[in-house]
């Protein structure tokens, strides 16, 4: 009953088998191998974006921070949600790699930035001349840190405000596959057709050992990204091992099947908890839940072997974060739920 994070899940056997196949013989280094080229072409086809430039990095923080830095000057502002991963969980990496770009936090219920709040933030930024930071970029997250999702229409409404100020738009898609399953949108509709210029396309949280793809839907910043990636120490010499993981995930639509399993188990978990009288802090739309339950429940659950993270909760209750993964099973969910009914 391990619900700490999808990062805690093992890699699927197909990924390990792909690594063994990639390990045969010699291959060109630094992304010049055939497998990396194959993955890049496959991602272009998935997103219906034949001109897109695709680069692989080993971590989500590298994907986000280097993508943002490729578009942002040190004196610019990155508009993101108050609880965005880049704001709360990346140890200042976006600011570091951009040499000082400021994160401007935009509020919104359930982890989703609201258009009115973004419009207000845009209006009050960059008006002080040389004394203040200038408008730089919009960054959204899908699935959000609250486990909710932006639809293509919601994404387009936010990017339209940014584009009215001639700002590029980034999407942190560490759980992008989960967002696709939740919305039923196509990859193109949820990204470049909705105004996204650069995507951090997640693999690690969807079962891989450690690889993310940065997808530039407009190629003009891709060369700068390559230079920044090398300078930051994130250009992997044996790139075929990153590509092998991504290729395994994208084969036969496994990436969607794995995300679908995670989402389905989250829905099963939410339904069972709510039937037992547990409330949710946010709507359950992806593979993350934020339940509130009675005092003492967390200790009892952990004593039975359950693992999860504590979260803030209203007075007189306890809060938790539960995350399901590609390999979460109905039996695991039902065992956890039995602790509320047995």
């Amino acid at each position: 009953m391990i619900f700490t994070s999808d990062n805690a899940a093992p890699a699927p056997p197909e990924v390990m088998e792909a690594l063994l196949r990639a390990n045969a013989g010699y291959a060109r280094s630094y992304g010049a191998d055939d497998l990396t080229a194959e993955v890049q072409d496959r991602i272009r086809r998935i997103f219906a974006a034949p001109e897109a430039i695709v680069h692989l990095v080993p971590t989500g923080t590298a994907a986000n921070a280097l993508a943002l830095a490729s578009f942002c000057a040190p004196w610019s502002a990155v508009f993101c949600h108050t609880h965005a991963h880049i704001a709360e969980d990346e140890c200042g990496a976006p600011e570091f790699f951009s040499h000082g770009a400021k994160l401007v936090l935009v509020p919104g219920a359930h982890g989703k930035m609201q258009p009115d709040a973004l419009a207000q933030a845009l209006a009050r930024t960059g008006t002080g001349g040389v004394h203040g930071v200038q408008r730089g970029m919009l960054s959204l997250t899908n699935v959000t840190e609250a486990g909710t999702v932006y639809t293509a229409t919601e994404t387009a409404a936010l990017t339209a405000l940014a584009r009215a100020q001639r700002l590029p738009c980034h999407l942190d898609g560490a759980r992008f596959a989960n967002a696709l399953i939740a919305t039923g949108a196509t990859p193109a509709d949820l990204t470049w057709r909705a105004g996204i210029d650069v995507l951090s396309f997640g693999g690690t949280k969807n079962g891989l050992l450690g690889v993310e793809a940065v997808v530039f839907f407009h190629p003009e910043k891709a060369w700068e990204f390559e230079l920044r990636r090398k300078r930051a120490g994130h250009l992997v010499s044996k790139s075929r091992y990153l590509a092998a993981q991504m290729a395994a995930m994208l084969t036969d639509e496994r990436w969607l099947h794995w995300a679908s399993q995670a989402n389905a188990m989250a829905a099963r978990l939410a339904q069972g908890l709510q039937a037992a009288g547990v409330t949710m802090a946010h709507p359950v739309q992806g593979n993350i839940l934020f339940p509130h339950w009675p005092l003492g429940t967390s200790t009892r659950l952990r004593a039975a072997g359950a693992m999860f993270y504590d979260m803030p909760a209203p007075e007189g209750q306890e809060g938790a974060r539960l995350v399901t993964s590609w390999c979460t099973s109905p039996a695991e969910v039902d065992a956890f739920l039995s602790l509320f009914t047995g």
Side-chain angles (χ1 to χ4, degrees):
M1 297 181 290
I2 300 176
F3 300 108
T4 51
S5 175
D6 34 17
N7 285 326
E14 295 92 340
V15 174
M16 305 307 293
E17 292 164 3
L19 284 167
L20 288 174
R21 289 194 299 271
N23 196 47
Y26 289 80
R28 291 195 292 175
S29 54
Y30 297 109
D33 58 283
D34 293 340
L35 191 52
T36 296
E38 176 188 328
V39 164
Q40 292 167 332
D41 286 341
R42 192 175 299 181
I43 289 176
R44 292 186 190 102
R45 292 195 298 271
I46 285 172
F47 284 90
E51 303 302 318
I53 303 296
V54 181
H55 295 301
L56 304 180
V57 292
T59 73
T61 296
N64 287 336
L66 293 172
L68 292 171
S70 297
F71 286 87
C72 291
W75 50 84
S76 61
V78 177
F79 299 89
C80 64
H81 190 271
T82 303
H83 300 297
H85 199 273
I86 62 171
E88 295 193 339
D89 295 285
E90 295 188 347
C91 198
E95 297 94 328
F96 176 78
F97 283 108
S98 64
H99 303 290
K102 180 179 180 179
L103 301 186
V104 174
L105 307 183
V106 182
H110 305 303
K112 296 170 69 174
M113 190 184 297
Q114 298 303 309
D116 288 347
L118 176 59
Q120 292 171 17
L122 289 167
R124 65 174 179 261
T125 303
T127 59
V130 74
H131 300 288
V133 295
Q134 304 301 298
R135 303 180 188 103
M137 192 172 192
L138 173 66
S139 180
L140 303 175
T141 309
N142 210 8
V143 174
T144 73
E145 294 301 297
T148 53
V149 301
Y150 289 103
T151 65
T153 299
E154 290 170 328
T155 300
L158 293 166
T159 62
L161 293 172
R163 288 184 172 281
Q165 301 292 338
R166 299 183 179 180
L167 304 185
C169 302
H170 164 255
L171 181 64
D172 177 354
R175 296 184 174 95
F176 182 74
N178 302 91
L180 283 181
I181 296 300
T183 61
T186 68
D189 287 343
L190 212 54
T191 54
W192 62 268
R193 286 179 184 151
I196 298 298
D197 296 290
V198 59
L199 165 71
S200 300
F201 177 46
T204 308
K205 287 181 170 62
N206 200 23
L208 304 187
L209 280 76
V211 59
E212 318 288 312
V214 181
V215 184
F216 288 85
F217 295 109
H218 304 288
E220 61 271 12
K221 287 291 185 177
W223 172 238
E224 180 176 338
F225 177 90
E226 287 195 65
L227 297 172
R228 289 181 177 275
R229 178 179 60 166
K230 175 63 177 178
R231 187 171 183 266
H234 284 286
L235 176 59
V236 176
S237 57
K238 296 184 178 181
S239 180
R240 59 171 155 166
Y241 298 107
L242 297 184
Q245 298 175 60
M246 189 67 72
M249 184 183 78
L250 299 178
T251 297
D252 297 330
E253 296 192 334
R254 290 178 188 136
W255 65 297
L256 297 176
H257 297 316
W258 294 342
S260 180
Q261 174 69 11
N263 283 17
M265 292 302 98
R268 185 186 187 103
L269 193 54
Q271 183 178 7
L273 288 172
Q274 289 170 324
V278 174
T279 59
M280 297 292 159
H282 307 292
V284 179
Q285 297 175 334
N287 65 318
I288 313 174
L289 301 81
F290 292 87
H292 291 159
W293 47 50
L295 294 175
T297 303
S298 295
T299 299
R300 179 171 59 83
L301 295 174
R302 288 191 171 106
M307 298 177 65
F308 49 86
Y309 289 131
D310 294 324
M311 297 296 291
E315 186 176 355
Q317 292 185 299
E318 296 174 339
R321 188 188 82 153
L322 310 176
V323 185
T324 54
S325 74
W326 72 272
C327 62
T328 302
S329 68
E332 187 177 6
V333 170
D334 294 345
F336 184 83
L337 294 175
S338 71
L339 301 176
F340 288 83
T341 59

